[in-house]
Every structure is written in structure tokens, then in C-alpha cells.
Amino acid sequence: MESELDTAGPSRGDRARARAYLLDFTPAMAAYVVCIVAVVRGLCRSDEYAQLLQFRALAVGFAVGMVGCVVVGMLALAGLHLTATPWIVFGAGMLSWAVAAAVIARR
């Protein structure tokens, strides 16, 4: 190596960036885990009919979300890049979950 700037190890700036990332990332992931635990607890406490209804609606929402991911991925390969793409897929999945739950409940 020609100078002290060409070191192979991480620098103080790298460690500071990693620490800042963890400080931003950890609370968001903790909130995500709390939401998942709340949904699972709610489903476990409900009766069999409500569980069946929610799981069927969840399956529809998941399928719509995955198809949305594939469609958006294909559009990105074709050259269309949208900044709100994750929110579009999330919104489609959640909306289809809610609509499927309403339709299944009316049967």
C-alpha cells in the first residue's frame, strides 16, 4: 500500500455510518415485530370462523401483493421506474386483504 489512506480495514467513518444505520433501523424493526406479534395474538384469540375468514383474506392479499411485485419488477426491467413502487404494492396487498375480508364475511 502506498499511503495510510489505503488500508484494508474499516475506518472510523464506516463504523459511524454503521452505528447511525443501526440506530435508525433498530426502532423501525422493533415496531414491525410488535405489529406482527399483535396480529398473531389477535388471530390466536379469535374464534375459528374469524380465523378462517382472516386467513382466507390474508391469502388473497398476499397473492395480490406478490403478483404486484412481479408486475412492478417486469415494468422496472422494461424501463419504468416509479419512486412510490413499494407503497403501490403494499397498498394493493392491504386493500385486497380488506376487500377480500369484507366479501368473504358477506357470504
Side-chain angles (χ1 to χ4, degrees), residues 27-95:
M29 286 296 104
Y32 182 66
V33 168
V34 167
C35 288
I36 289 175
V37 168
V39 168
V40 169
R41 286 185 69 193
L43 283 173
C44 288
R45 290 180 177 184
S46 61
D47 63 350
E48 292 87 11
Y49 176 71
Q51 285 180 355
L52 181 65
L53 185 141
Q54 285 301 319
F55 283 131
R56 285 183 179 176
L58 180 63
V60 171
F62 179 79
V64 169
M66 291 301 101
V67 170
C69 285
V70 170
V71 168
V72 167
M74 294 292 183
L75 289 173
L77 287 174
L80 178 67
H81 296 287
L82 301 171
T83 57
T85 299
W87 291 109
I88 293 170
V89 172
F90 174 76
M94 295 305 285
L95 182 64

